[in-house]
Every structure is written in structure tokens, then in C-alpha cells.
Amino acid sequence: MSPAGRSADERDRTPGGLVIFLNGTSSSGKSSIAVELLRVLDEPYFHIPVDAFHAMRTRQEMPAERLATVLHNTWRGYHRAIAGMAAAGNNVVMDHVLSQEWRLRDCLDLFVPDDVVFVGVRCSRAELERRERERGDRPPGLAARQLEQVHAHGLYDIECDTSRADPLRCASRIKEFLTDRPTPTAFQRLLDKRRG
């Protein structure tokens, strides 16, 4: 029977996909790690960066208060798109900047905690500043301003430091971690902590 012809109960039994959640500041190397992950992982994965969602938005001028709402709705939509892809059985590598506390709360509400590998992507301040200057497409000091909030929650399943290891080495470490993931996951521990 074709997927469209299956009953709702059969469709709902699709096992969820795994979400490799890369969190770090702008210019920390998340996208470079994601590219390498797609090369080294054995299963098919989609790399869905938050920047791709921002790039799809119209470039028309709008008042600051309207822009703030549009940006907030973009992030909310991104979270729901990732959750939907995973719920449909797709494996996803997402790269995100949790520079506002509500973003993590929203993801905790949406994602299946056991299906998330939460990866902290760290990088030294000096290296972040060097990368920003080299890229030239980010406001100077953006990554430094994000540093404190991005990792404020303090819990990850695995961490990488891209000022000490190249993207392929980071991706290889993450792949090795996937073979024997401990429980509870970082997402489950964060959810438990939030519930008190």
C-alpha cells in the first residue's frame, strides 16, 4: 500500500529521525562541521542551518519593531521545521545560535529528547574575532556578544573546540559518539531541570 493510502495510525508509527543539534556562536564553525558530518555519517542526513531560513526571507525594509517580530517568527518556524523533519523519520544536522534563552525552551518543548544529540561548538574569542574579520559578512564583535548566552545552559552531550580541532576531526568525534549515546541525553536532563 502506498504511504498516502496508509491509515493515520500506521503513519504515526514512523520512527523519529535523529537531530544532531550544533549550538555555537556565529563564526564558531558549526556549518563547517555539518558539511563534514554529511560526508562521514553512514545514514542520510539533511543539513538545515538557521541561516538558510533567514536567507529565504524578503529583503524589503521594515520598521525595527516589525523586523523583531519577523525574526522571532522565523526562529519559531525553523524549530518547527526541524521537529517536523525528524518526526517524519529524517535525520537532521541543525546549526543554531541559542543566543536568547527562549530559543532553547522552544526546542525543548518541540523535540523528542532521546532523539537529540546536543553538541556544543566552542571557539576561542581571539579565533572568533579573526574569523569575523576574515569573513567580512558579520558585524564586528557579534560572536563575542553571543558567547555568554549561547552556552549559558551548561549541558551538552558532546563538545568540540574548533580553535583546537578542524571540522573533520570534530565531525569524526561526533560520529564516534553516536555509536554509544548515553542516557539520559542532555536534552532530557535540561527538560528535567526545567520541570524542577
Side-chain angles (χ1 to χ4, degrees):
M1 185 179 294
S2 71
R6 290 187 297 181
S7 71
D9 286 341
E10 289 174 311
R11 286 192 302 266
D12 291 344
R13 290 192 197 126
T14 302
L18 191 64
V19 175
I20 300 176
F21 190 135
L22 305 174
N23 175 52
T25 65
S26 171
S27 301
S28 62
K30 302 179 302 296
S31 293
S32 298
I33 293 171
V35 167
E36 295 299 337
L37 279 168
L38 265 57
R39 284 191 217 174
V40 302
L41 292 171
D42 299 324
E43 297 294 320
Y45 276 78
F46 290 86
H47 173 213
I48 309 175
V50 71
D51 287 349
F53 276 59
H54 291 301
M56 289 186 271
R57 189 176 48 252
T58 181
R59 295 290 174 230
Q60 70 182 140
E61 293 290 321
M62 61 184 82
E65 65 276 1
R66 175 76 177 124
L67 179 60
T69 301
V70 168
L71 291 173
H72 182 81
N73 290 343
T74 302
W75 284 306
R76 289 183 72 245
Y78 173 64
H79 300 160
R80 283 149 183 78
I82 298 295
M85 285 292 285
N90 299 291
N91 296 316
V92 177
V93 177
M94 66 182 290
D95 70 71
H96 202 358
V97 181
L98 295 175
S99 57
Q100 294 180 11
E101 196 270 336
W102 75 265
R103 295 178 194 169
L104 177 58
R105 278 195 328 264
D106 199 40
C107 290
L108 288 170
D109 287 343
L110 292 167
F111 299 167
V112 176
D114 287 343
D115 294 343
V116 178
V117 176
F118 200 24
V119 182
V121 180
R122 297 188 184 267
C123 186
S124 71
R125 183 181 299 263
E127 178 61 13
L128 288 170
E129 290 169 354
R130 186 196 68 74
R131 290 177 187 176
E132 276 183 345
R133 283 192 305 274
E134 191 174 275
R135 288 175 71 160
D137 65 348
R138 298 288 192 273
L142 175 64
R145 288 190 300 275
Q146 294 171 341
L147 266 173
E148 187 176 325
Q149 181 60 44
V150 166
H151 302 295
H153 55 274
L155 283 172
Y156 288 106
D157 292 303
I158 183 172
E159 296 186 54
C160 299
D161 185 337
T162 63
S163 53
R164 297 179 182 192
D166 66 20
L168 178 56
R169 184 172 165 87
C170 293
S172 298
R173 281 193 62 229
I174 295 165
K175 179 184 178 181
E176 289 168 16
F177 178 84
L178 296 181
T179 61
D180 192 25
R181 294 186 297 133
T183 55
T185 65
F187 249 53
Q188 185 61 59
R189 288 180 289 151
L190 286 164
L191 199 54
D192 292 346
K193 186 176 169 183
R194 185 172 154 210
R195 290 173 177 161

